[in-house]
């Protein structure tokens, strides 16, 4: 008899903004699947993880706060020297634009798609400073940048996506081996009057007034029976599949293929709520939530009810929800909404 497959559904920012939005705007999200199945959702499990990457690492059984995205992303590029990531530790380096206020410094834009000449100018500028500290700014064939540093050092960082539209002071890199915050400040001063920013200003483009360092952590031995990871974003899906030593497929074939593929355990990543949550765009959040509900939550919960799959939801804020059959004596329990569950998670 074939084992019933298990589907792990990762939905970052599912709960995160809801309590705040309800208090400020009286917003109550509409999500039919949670209305229909809330009584079947078992106790919330809390782990000290606060983003998609860390939640996935935790699901794999690794007790680390940070997934080493830089190492895996660099190694995925076929056109580079792999010995760099073997002999050195890496951090991702993303160009950003900061808005400086009276009491805060907010990361307002992540700047993607730099040209070849911009990346070269950036490396030439920064490496003149980095060389004194034993650091090197490098890039891969996709113009994604990294900083190399000795393997003997460790640093704790925050993914750039999780700092968007936030005050960066609470999320700067932390290390006992060197003062990365001083390095970050030096980079800002170098970039302030740089030629690369002069050209961007003339072209009406946002200036690069800082670089965000992230994606450290230590690679761990992973022992998990994961068959496949499905996602819309190819980059994160391929990185996660490399971490778990499984295949990655885009979310294009529909759920029928996933449900009847014969795979014992699969992961589905739905990250469509992140930007709407970070930008406080309630209408966009509800639109994306409605689509997620229709395309994934309703059919997956129905498949669970029919005994086709086991289903676990990861809200990527430390909480895990599992669907379980409700004992008859609990018939009296009050139906919960998505907002009710968000309120419960905010208190743990």
């Amino acid at each position: 008899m074939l084992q019933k497959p298990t589907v792990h559904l990762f939905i970052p920012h599912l709960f995160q903004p809801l309590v705040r939005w309800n208090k400020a705007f009286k917003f109550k999200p509409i999500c039919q699947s949670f209305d229909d199945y809330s009584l079947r959702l078992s106790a919330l499990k809390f782990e000290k993880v606060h983003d998609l990457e860390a939640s996935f690492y935790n699901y794999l059984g690794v007790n680390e706060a940070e997934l080493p995205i830089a190492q895996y992303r660099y190694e995925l590029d076929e056109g580079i020297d792999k010995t760099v990531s073997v002999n050195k530790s890496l951090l991702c380096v993303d160009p950003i634009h900061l808005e400086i206020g009276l009491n805060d410094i907010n990361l307002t834009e992540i700047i993607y798609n730099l040209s070849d000449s911009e990346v070269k100018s950036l490396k030439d500028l920064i490496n003149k400073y980095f060389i004194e500290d034993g650091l090197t700014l490098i890039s891969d064939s996709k113009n994604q940048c990294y900083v190399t540093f000795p393997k003997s050092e460790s640093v704790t960082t925050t993914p750039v996506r999780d700092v968007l539209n936030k005050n960066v002071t609470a999320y700067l890199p932390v290390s006992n081996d060197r003062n990365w915050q001083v390095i970050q400040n030096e980079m800002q001063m170098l970039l302030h009057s740089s030629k690369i920013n002069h050209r961007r200003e003339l072209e009406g483009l946002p200036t690069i007034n800082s670089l965000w360092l992230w994606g450290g952590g230590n690679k761990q031995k992973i022992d998990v029976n994961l068959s496949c990871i499905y996602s819309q974003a190819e980059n994160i899906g391929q990185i996660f599949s490399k971490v778990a030593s499984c295949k990655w497929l885009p979310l294009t074939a529909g759920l029928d293929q996933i449900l009847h593929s014969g795979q014992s355990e699969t992961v589905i990543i739905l990250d469509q709520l992140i930007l709407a949550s970070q930008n406080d765009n309630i209408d966009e959040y509800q639109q994306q939530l409605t689509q997620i509900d229709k395309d994934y939550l309703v059919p997956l919960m129905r498949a669970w009810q029919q005994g086709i799959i086991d289903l676990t939801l990861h809200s990527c804020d430390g909480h895990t929800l599992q669907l379980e059959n409700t004992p008859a004596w609990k018939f009296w329990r009050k139906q919960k909404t998505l907002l009710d569950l968000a309120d419960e998670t905010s208190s743990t």
Side-chain angles (χ1 to χ4, degrees):
M1 182 177 178
L2 292 176
Q3 183 180 2
K4 187 190 299 185
T6 299
V7 176
H8 291 268
L9 198 57
F10 285 76
I11 313 179
H13 288 250
L14 177 63
F15 296 136
Q16 195 166 327
L18 297 183
V19 173
R20 177 169 55 85
W21 284 353
N22 181 255
K23 289 179 179 178
F25 311 110
K26 306 300 181 184
F27 173 65
K28 294 183 179 181
I30 300 170
C31 188
Q32 188 61 46
S33 56
F34 276 86
D35 291 344
D36 292 343
Y37 289 91
S38 67
L39 293 182
R40 308 289 185 90
L41 290 168
S42 68
L44 301 169
K45 172 183 165 187
F46 183 76
E47 304 287 351
K48 292 183 179 179
V49 292
H50 301 287
D51 56 53
L52 172 60
E53 290 83 1
S55 296
F56 181 71
Y57 223 21
N58 185 264
Y59 151 72
L60 294 178
V62 180
N63 188 24
E64 288 278 339
E66 193 169 359
L67 177 64
I69 290 285
Q71 295 278 343
Y72 286 110
R73 192 176 80 178
Y74 190 81
E75 291 170 14
L76 277 169
D77 194 313
E78 296 297 330
I80 55 172
D81 179 10
K82 298 297 193 300
T83 60
V84 172
S85 61
V86 172
N87 301 324
K88 295 281 189 177
S89 289
L90 296 172
L91 290 175
C92 299
V93 178
D94 278 343
I96 58 172
H97 183 80
L98 300 174
E99 294 288 345
I100 302 174
L102 291 176
N103 301 309
D104 53 16
I105 305 173
N106 291 318
L107 195 165
T108 57
E109 188 166 355
I110 306 167
I111 300 172
Y112 297 108
N113 302 320
L114 296 187
S115 66
D116 292 346
S117 61
E118 285 179 316
V119 171
K120 183 180 184 305
S121 298
L122 201 59
K123 290 192 292 186
D124 290 344
L125 174 69
I126 299 298
N127 279 331
K128 290 178 183 177
Y129 164 70
F130 269 2
I131 194 170
E132 300 175 3
D133 292 299
L135 307 173
T136 308
L137 185 65
I138 62 173
S139 60
D140 60 22
S141 66
K142 300 176 183 177
N143 281 338
Q144 298 174 128
C145 293
Y146 307 84
V147 62
T148 68
F149 62 99
K151 274 195 172 295
S152 59
E153 298 181 16
S154 63
V155 56
T156 301
T157 65
T158 303
V160 64
R161 183 176 58 188
D162 295 328
V163 192
L164 187 62
N165 293 325
K166 292 181 181 178
N167 184 353
V168 303
T169 54
Y171 301 97
L172 294 169
V174 176
S175 173
N176 292 324
D177 300 301
R178 69 172 72 224
N179 193 332
W180 286 96
Q181 296 183 24
V182 169
I183 293 171
Q184 193 118 22
N185 291 337
E186 291 287 348
M187 289 190 296
Q188 287 174 219
M189 287 188 283
L190 288 170
L191 288 163
H192 177 69
S193 57
S194 65
K195 292 181 180 178
I196 183 174
N197 276 328
H198 179 65
R199 288 195 298 269
R200 291 182 69 87
E201 284 180 336
L202 291 176
E203 295 172 10
L205 298 172
T207 57
I208 302 168
N209 57 10
S210 190
L211 302 173
W212 192 257
L213 310 177
W214 67 283
N218 301 307
K219 292 175 73 171
Q220 303 287 336
K221 183 178 179 181
I222 306 296
D223 184 18
V224 63
N225 185 29
L226 181 58
S227 304
C228 187
I229 294 172
Y230 297 86
S231 68
Q232 290 184 332
E234 179 177 357
N235 191 22
I236 196 68
Q238 288 191 338
I239 290 172
F240 281 13
S241 66
K242 185 171 179 62
V243 174
S245 300
C246 68
K247 64 182 178 180
W248 167 80
L249 289 173
L251 268 175
T252 55
L255 284 179
D256 282 345
Q257 178 179 328
I258 299 174
L259 294 176
H260 304 289
S261 63
Q263 296 164 346
S264 59
E265 191 156 342
T266 60
V267 163
I268 300 175
I269 299 169
L270 303 173
D271 59 0
Q272 298 95 310
L273 299 176
I274 294 176
L275 279 180
S277 171
Q278 291 175 329
N279 293 328
D280 278 335
N281 189 333
I282 294 177
D283 291 339
E284 177 67 15
Y285 178 95
Q286 181 59 69
Q287 182 178 336
Q288 293 293 344
L289 178 62
T290 300
Q291 200 66 45
I292 288 173
D293 195 34
K294 174 186 173 184
D295 294 344
Y296 299 100
L297 289 174
V298 169
L300 284 171
M301 289 184 178
R302 187 181 300 125
W304 168 82
Q305 190 174 35
Q306 295 169 351
I308 298 173
I309 62 169
D310 286 326
L311 181 62
T312 300
L313 275 66
H314 304 259
S315 53
C316 302
D317 57 359
H319 298 92
T320 301
L321 297 88
Q322 286 185 317
L323 281 166
E324 296 179 347
N325 288 315
T326 308
W329 61 269
K330 290 187 178 182
F331 72 94
W332 49 267
R333 288 197 310 174
K334 179 186 175 184
Q335 200 85 0
K336 294 180 181 178
T337 65
L338 184 60
L339 182 60
D340 292 330
L341 290 168
D343 192 49
E344 287 184 15
T345 65
S346 67
S347 63
T348 57

